[in-house]
Amino acid sequence: MIDNKKVLFSGMQATGNLTLGNYLGALKNWVKLSDEYECFYSVVDMHSITVRQDPADFRQKAKNLLALYIAAGLDPQKNCIYYQSHVSGHAELAWILNCFTYMGELNRMTQFKDKSAKHADNINAGLFTYPVLMAADILLYQTDVVPVGIDQLQHLELTRDIAQRFNSIYGDVFTIPEPFIGKTGAKIMSLQDPLKKMSKSDENPNASIYLTDDRDTIIRKFKRAVTDSEAVIKHREEQPGVSNLIEIYSACTGKTFEEVEKEFDGKGYGDFKLAVGETVADILSPLQARHSDILKDKAYLDGIVKENAEKAQYFSNKTLRKVQKKVGFNEKIR
Ligand code: TYM
């Protein structure tokens, strides 16, 4: 609890090109929850170097992402928006938690398996212990709730296991966090293969809507989206492509699946795809405009980055000191 409010933590990687999945599965919920909780939203740049990055390009991407948080509607005066690498406690706690995490647990992580298959020439130790750094991110702030997409649930479960293990040895040190999964949009699928998650690293650019795509591109990609020959607009297992489009439309408009099915009853796929494309473009165009305005104001962004890193450092230190004491480190003379 901070000032009688429960704590929320979440983060996003600054690599690749962010997709509609990142927006609907995470960012949109962050904004919705931001009044209710004391929020920490981190640009998790330390996670990103588990894959090789070009330094100049990476620096810019991280800045773009930080500005995107604000453009999406997160007020940086009320929400702690910061770069993970600016707060030393993340790495310090991660090391300690590494000593409370088993190799077998990390070996089971599906994201590790997927990423090591994709980057077979660089299966580094950071990629393996990535979920421990994520646990440190969350546990550092005594987090109650973590809004994420479905793909991060396994990491959240591991975080809870590590926290419970630590607490069972040393007493009540960590709050046990709960995941928050949105009712819709928690797993947006590829537009070209609706059995696969929409991913920023997909080689086929038509498979994903990028948050930087312009209106025409968005509409064109939806027009090309893979559907089926059933010719009915229904959310059901036999129609994964159409169901994904319904899911996107529902997440964007707040309408239920039944309402969407009713709205497009008797209409063709062409009309439906156009409506989904236009709805998404209507959301992303103003977001892009705000984003580019924010990026132009360097002094404003620098101020936010500095202030919020100090705030995050302050709160994270409280937990870190407690943990250091519990494991038996000698106290630093200040
Ligand atoms: P990342 O950067 O891959 O994704 C950021 C968020 O977007 C969600 N997401 C999706 N949601 C719905 N449909 C999709 N197709 C889709 N693709 C991505 C993800 O679930 C995530 O919520 N390890 C994390 C970053 C992280 C983190 C944390 C998250 C680091 N520390 C602490 C929460 C708490 C990651 O790589 O997310």
Side-chain angles (χ1 to χ4, degrees):
M1 288 278 202
I2 298 178
D3 291 340
N4 278 330
K5 271 187 168 176
K6 286 192 170 181
V7 178
L8 179 156
F9 181 95
S10 204
M12 229 179 248
Q13 291 203 63
T15 36
N17 220 333
L18 289 204
T19 71
L20 186 64
N22 296 122
Y23 180 74
L24 296 178
L27 202 47
K28 194 163 174 281
N29 292 324
W30 295 6
V31 177
K32 225 166 38 197
L33 296 168
S34 64
D35 280 338
E36 198 182 326
Y37 292 91
E38 183 70 36
C39 301
F40 294 85
Y41 292 117
S42 186
V43 170
V44 292
D45 48 2
M46 287 160 66
H47 279 101
S48 302
I49 61 163
T50 51
V51 172
R52 289 281 171 269
Q53 305 295 340
D54 169 73
D57 177 57
F58 178 38
R59 211 170 279 127
Q60 189 55 49
K61 283 207 167 113
K63 207 173 273 179
N64 286 348
L65 182 58
L66 192 111
L68 183 74
Y69 287 5
I70 303 168
L74 295 172
D75 178 349
Q77 309 301 334
K78 292 194 191 136
N79 301 282
C80 190
I81 292 174
Y82 70 100
Y83 295 118
Q84 181 190 33
S85 62
H86 286 190
V87 179
S88 57
H90 291 257
E92 292 179 78
L93 182 61
W95 173 255
I96 296 174
L97 297 183
N98 263 321
C99 304
F100 293 84
T101 308
Y102 298 113
M103 302 281 283
E105 289 176 311
L106 295 176
N107 251 327
R108 281 198 292 276
M109 295 293 117
T110 51
Q111 189 169 311
F112 171 67
K113 289 185 206 163
D114 291 351
K115 283 209 175 165
S116 17
K118 223 176 237 169
H119 304 277
D121 54 336
N122 181 21
I123 306 176
N124 59 69
L127 201 59
F128 190 60
T129 60
Y130 175 113
V132 184
L133 178 58
M134 183 161 158
D137 298 341
I138 297 167
L139 300 178
L140 253 189
Y141 300 95
Q142 304 294 350
T143 301
D144 295 285
V145 66
V146 186
V148 282
I150 286 175
D151 62 334
Q152 294 300 317
L153 268 187
Q154 196 186 30
H155 290 161
L156 246 290
E157 265 317 305
L158 178 66
T159 300
R160 288 165 55 88
D161 289 346
I162 298 171
Q164 267 151 358
R165 184 170 305 143
F166 195 94
N167 283 359
S168 73
I169 304 172
Y170 300 105
D172 255 353
V173 178
F174 295 124
T175 302
I176 308 297
E178 296 285 342
F180 175 97
I181 304 282
K183 280 202 192 75
T184 51
K187 192 168 186 191
I188 300 297
M189 309 307 275
S190 152
L191 297 186
Q192 290 299 312
D193 177 359
L195 298 177
K196 240 174 59 182
K197 187 186 78 160
M198 183 181 285
S199 161
K200 45 193 164 193
S201 54
D202 203 307
E203 275 158 22
N204 181 353
N206 289 322
S208 308
I209 300 293
Y210 300 119
L211 299 187
T212 48
D213 281 346
D214 62 29
R215 189 174 189 87
D216 290 349
T217 308
I218 294 170
I219 290 173
R220 180 172 44 79
K221 285 184 181 178
F222 276 110
K223 272 191 188 154
R224 287 190 187 169
V226 168
T227 47
D228 51 56
S229 51
E230 303 271 326
V232 283
I233 295 165
K234 282 242 173 285
H235 192 280
R236 53 181 186 171
E237 213 178 324
E238 308 88 283
Q239 293 185 261
V242 170
S243 298
N244 188 38
L245 297 178
I246 294 179
E247 180 100 22
I248 292 172
Y249 191 72
S250 157
C252 290
T253 57
K255 293 177 185 167
T256 63
F257 297 159
E258 294 72 37
E259 284 168 339
V260 180
E261 287 172 0
K262 221 167 166 187
E263 185 177 339
F264 292 97
D265 187 27
K267 300 238 169 79
Y269 286 172
D271 289 345
F272 177 49
K273 287 174 170 180
L274 181 64
V276 182
E278 284 179 337
T279 305
V280 170
D282 285 347
I283 292 177
L284 295 190
S285 304
L287 180 73
Q288 290 162 0
R290 282 196 299 276
H291 186 232
S292 98
D293 284 347
I294 293 165
L295 273 174
K296 280 181 206 140
D297 199 342
K298 188 174 176 304
Y300 168 72
L301 275 180
D302 285 351
I304 285 163
V305 165
K306 182 168 181 290
E307 247 170 60
N308 282 327
E310 282 164 7
K311 181 175 168 190
Q313 186 81 41
Y314 170 80
F315 285 108
S316 59
N317 269 345
K318 290 191 179 191
T319 304
L320 190 64
R321 298 288 168 259
K322 200 163 162 189
V323 171
Q324 288 169 332
K325 199 166 165 191
K326 288 284 184 188
V327 298
F329 291 167
N330 275 299
E331 224 173 303
K332 220 169 170 180
I333 312 295
R334 285 168 213 282

